[in-house]
């Protein structure tokens, strides 16, 4: 008992130290980034530099730019057109996982999957498989160093981040040029097409630099968060076979329990997915209990009162999504994984607007939330209908919260494909099918 208590205290202390370090690192990088821009002021000129923020290190204000130009990318029509492609990428991936005789590191492979989804579906790049693998590795190097102190020394994280970004931008430029030249054979408009078109409509031709920044920003926003949620989804389906079975029952009732081997492109439509109420509850519950992002930062624009204290204008504040979910009085047995809490009969999230915010809230709410939910739903449908999967380790891994929530050392799982009669497909057959897709 005493040892368990000590372990808990030490885990909490480590977690607190990690959070404080990351917050400090973020704050210091942000300040140094601002100083870096202030230092570029031309002292021979009397005029001040423009007011405003320079955004985050490396990515600057591209998030804001993205927000302004194009929520069109995530409109209902756009999502409907991405859906068959997302389904195909997921089916392809699950087939590859089942054809492996060894267990899969789910977190690592989920990162690869969301990267592939962003590059192939959102951006519509037809990069050869080998180059995509290389780009993914460079991208990982970029992400690992994105929150480095801006100290440009050999072997520093900052230098590695900058180098990775340069390689990425070269790869993206090549892909963008090829895409702009080859417009034939396209049956849908991807996010990059929409981005280019909508900027033309606003009388502004986008420069190559803007296109590269925009595409990198899209991948950045989609990648780690969606991979984290996908891994948590798989982990919870493994932990709760009754939930998986209930999901299968719902799919069976809708005639969606199809077997492996068939790409079934177009089987799923947005309205079909919306009609799957239990699936919606499962995804919501995964996002409540395993919210990928801890919270967000804001600058106070106007002094306000909170619990009898003033929070002065100009302060930086953080809102915590995780604490909100943990302490919201509306959730019964808050630590229990219970998708039915979101059922129509209980609707625990309906009491109050600010108890459930996995995608943030207010004007800076996540732009890609419908796309992320769509992706998770398709993944759950495909997992439930075409795969059997089992934990390849004795116990479930521990969870870490930084930089996004994920299992320490990934999550080791063995996948088996199922045919239309829900019988297992041999890995060799899966490998053959996988090669022919
Ligand atoms: C499960 C997956 C996801 C989660 C949990 C998530 C969560 C969030 C959260 C909490 C914020 C707000 C941060 C803040 O308050 O400062 C945010 C912002 C944002 N997200 Fe997501 N996100 C996910 C997937 C995606 C995807 C797939 C995309 C697009 C491809 C995306 C695009 C964005 C963008 C552009 C913003 C910035 C919005 C702004 O600054 O106004 N997200 N996301």
């Amino acid at each position: 008992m005493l040892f368990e208590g000590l372990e808990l205290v030490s885990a909490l202390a480590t977690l607190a130290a990690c959070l404080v370090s990351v917050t400090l690192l973020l704050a210091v990088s942000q300040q140094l980034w601002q100083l870096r821009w202030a230092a570029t002021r031309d002292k021979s000129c009397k005029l001040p530099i423009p007011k405003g923020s320079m955004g985050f290190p490396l990515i600057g204000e591209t998030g804001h730019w993205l927000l302004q130009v194009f929520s069109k990318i995530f409109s209902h029509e756009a999502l409907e057109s991405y859906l068959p492609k997302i389904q195909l990428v997921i089916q392809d991936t699950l087939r590859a996982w089942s054809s492996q005789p060894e267990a899969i590191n789910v977190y690592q492979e989920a990162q690869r999957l969301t990267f592939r989804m962003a590059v192939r579906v959102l951006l519509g790049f037809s990069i050869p498989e080998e180059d995509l693998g290389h780009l993914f590795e460079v991208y990982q190097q970029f992400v690992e160093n994105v929150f480095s102190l801006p100290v440009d020394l050999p072997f520093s994280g900052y230098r590695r981040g900058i180098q990775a970004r340069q390689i990425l931008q070269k790869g993206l430029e090549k892909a963008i040029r090829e895409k702009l030249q080859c417009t034939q054979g396209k049956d849908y408009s991807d996010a990059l097409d929409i981005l280019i078109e909508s900027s033309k409509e606003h009388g502004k031709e986008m420069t190559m630099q803007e296109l590269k920044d925009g595409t990198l920003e899209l991948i950045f926003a989609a990648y780690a968060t969606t991979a984290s949620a996908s891994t948590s989804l798989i982990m919870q389906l493994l932990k709760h076979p009754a939930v998986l079975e209930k999901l299968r029952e719902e799919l069976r009732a809708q005639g969606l329990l199809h077997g492996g081997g068939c790409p079934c492109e177009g089987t799923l439509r947005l309205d079909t997915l919306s009609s799957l109420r239990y699936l919606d509850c499962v995804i919501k519950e995964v996002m409540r209990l395993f919210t990928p992002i801890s919270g967000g930062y804001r600058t106070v624009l106007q002094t306000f009162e909170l619990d009898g204290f003033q929070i002065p204008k100009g302060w930086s504040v953080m809102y915590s999504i995780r604490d909100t979910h943990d302490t919201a009085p509306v959730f019964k047995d808050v630590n229990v994984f219970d998708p039915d809490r979101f059922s129509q009969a209980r609707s625990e999230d309906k009491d109050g607007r600010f108890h459930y915010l996995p995608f943030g809230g207010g004007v800076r709410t996540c732009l890609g939330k419908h796309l992320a939910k769509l992706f998770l739903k398709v993944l759950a449908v495909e997992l439930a209908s075409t795969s059997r999967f089992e934990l390849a380790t004795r116990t479930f891994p521990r969870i870490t919260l930084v930089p996004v929530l994920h299992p320490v050392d990934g999550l080791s799982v063995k996948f088996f494909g199922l045919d239309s009669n829900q019988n297992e497909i041999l890995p060799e057959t899966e490998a053959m099918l996988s090669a022919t897709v």
Side-chain angles (χ1 to χ4, degrees):
M1 232 9 219
L2 177 66
F3 284 115
E4 275 179 20
L6 284 174
E7 262 182 33
L8 182 68
V9 172
S10 121
L12 286 174
T14 314
L15 176 67
C18 283
L19 283 176
V20 170
S21 321
V22 171
T23 311
L24 272 175
L25 199 62
L26 275 175
V28 173
S29 342
Q30 180 84 356
Q31 289 305 321
L32 288 173
W33 183 249
Q34 297 286 358
L35 278 176
R36 175 202 184 282
W37 283 104
T40 58
R41 181 179 182 276
D42 182 350
K43 294 189 184 63
S44 64
C45 174
K46 286 205 171 61
L47 296 173
I49 52 174
K51 286 184 180 165
S53 141
M54 294 302 174
F56 285 99
L58 301 184
I59 58 172
E61 282 290 5
T62 45
H64 188 62
W65 171 75
L66 190 77
L67 171 77
Q68 284 179 334
V69 189
F70 30 90
S71 47
K72 260 192 191 176
I73 292 172
F74 306 107
S75 67
H76 187 87
E77 296 71 40
L79 291 182
E80 188 81 79
S81 71
Y82 304 152
L83 180 51
K85 316 287 166 195
I86 291 179
Q87 193 185 359
L88 216 57
V89 167
I90 290 177
Q91 286 176 336
D92 204 3
T93 300
L94 290 185
R95 201 173 290 120
W97 290 0
S98 306
S99 68
Q100 296 285 324
E102 313 86 35
I104 298 293
N105 179 328
V106 172
Y107 182 54
Q108 198 175 310
E109 291 307 313
Q111 288 177 316
R112 201 184 293 276
L113 168 61
T114 50
F115 183 78
R116 174 190 278 257
M117 186 275 288
V119 171
R120 290 233 187 280
V121 182
L122 261 187
L123 302 172
F125 292 152
S126 45
I127 302 174
E129 216 32 54
E130 207 180 306
D131 295 354
L132 193 72
H134 174 64
L135 215 56
F136 173 67
E137 277 158 33
V138 179
Y139 186 75
Q140 277 186 315
Q141 187 184 326
F142 166 69
V143 172
E144 277 161 22
N145 295 295
V146 85
F147 289 122
S148 306
L149 283 175
V151 180
D152 193 8
L153 291 173
F155 308 115
S156 66
Y158 183 76
R159 177 75 66 89
R160 280 202 301 275
I162 294 282
Q163 282 169 346
R165 191 176 72 158
Q166 280 165 354
I167 302 173
L168 270 177
Q169 291 217 346
K170 253 195 195 157
L172 290 176
E173 180 163 344
K174 184 165 173 272
I176 293 170
R177 286 200 190 286
E178 278 170 10
K179 185 179 155 71
L180 292 176
Q181 274 162 16
C182 170
T183 46
Q184 289 150 347
K186 286 262 345 229
D187 54 354
Y188 79 111
S189 290
D190 56 59
L192 193 54
D193 295 329
I194 298 173
L195 185 65
I196 295 168
E197 277 313 307
S198 73
S199 65
K200 272 190 198 155
E201 278 166 24
H202 287 85
K204 180 182 177 293
E205 193 88 24
M206 287 176 76
T207 64
M208 180 51 80
Q209 191 56 46
E210 283 172 331
L211 284 173
K212 284 189 290 187
D213 286 342
T215 51
L216 199 55
E217 171 71 11
L218 268 182
I219 304 174
F220 189 75
Y223 166 80
T225 47
T226 316
S228 159
S230 306
T231 308
S232 300
L233 169 70
I234 295 177
M235 184 133 115
Q236 293 318 299
L237 293 180
L238 276 166
K239 274 192 175 173
H240 303 277
V243 170
L244 180 58
E245 197 36 53
K246 196 165 168 184
L247 199 56
R248 286 193 169 130
E249 268 168 35
E250 184 173 54
L251 298 180
R252 209 170 280 128
Q254 294 274 347
L256 286 170
L257 208 66
H258 61 84
C262 150
C264 299
E265 189 179 339
T267 312
L268 290 178
R269 295 184 50 85
L270 281 188
D271 48 4
T272 320
L273 283 176
S274 315
S275 69
L276 299 169
R277 307 304 301 235
Y278 188 65
L279 173 63
D280 192 53
C281 296
V282 173
I283 302 300
K284 277 189 174 155
E285 182 64 340
V286 169
M287 299 301 296
R288 182 191 70 86
L289 211 48
F290 303 94
T291 174
I293 295 189
S294 306
Y297 298 89
R298 296 287 184 275
T299 300
V300 178
L301 296 177
Q302 198 178 321
T303 304
F304 66 93
E305 185 195 325
L306 184 70
D307 287 344
F309 296 97
Q310 65 154 287
I311 310 295
K313 179 178 169 182
W315 274 27
S316 289
V317 293
M318 183 192 172
Y319 75 94
S320 173
I321 297 175
R322 194 157 292 124
D323 288 347
T324 305
H325 289 183
D326 281 354
T327 56
V330 293
F331 297 125
K332 315 269 177 315
D333 298 322
V334 78
N335 294 321
V336 176
F337 182 77
D338 176 13
D340 283 312
R341 70 173 76 246
F342 292 106
S343 63
Q344 260 175 340
R346 286 169 59 193
S347 299
E348 289 184 8
D349 60 326
K350 292 289 177 292
D351 278 339
R353 282 170 59 206
F354 299 113
H355 298 303
Y356 182 71
L357 30 112
F359 294 102
V363 285
R364 305 311 290 258
T365 192
C366 175
L367 278 179
K369 65 182 169 189
H370 296 300
L371 175 68
K373 282 199 273 187
L374 175 70
F375 180 89
L376 293 169
K377 285 184 177 181
V378 177
L379 179 63
V381 169
E382 290 299 330
L383 276 168
S385 62
T386 64
S387 304
R388 188 174 75 74
F389 41 106
E390 57 190 42
L391 190 67
T393 46
R394 229 162 29 86
T395 51
F396 281 96
R398 277 188 306 117
I399 298 288
T400 176
L401 303 178
V402 278
V404 289
L405 183 144
H406 68 277
V408 179
D409 302 328
L411 169 72
S412 196
V413 176
K414 178 75 190 88
F415 287 83
F416 307 87
L418 297 177
D419 66 16
S420 47
N421 298 316
Q422 297 288 293
N423 296 320
E424 267 172 39
I425 306 174
L426 293 172
E428 306 84 83
T429 319
E430 279 288 14
M432 234 170 61
L433 287 170
S434 195
T436 53
V437 170

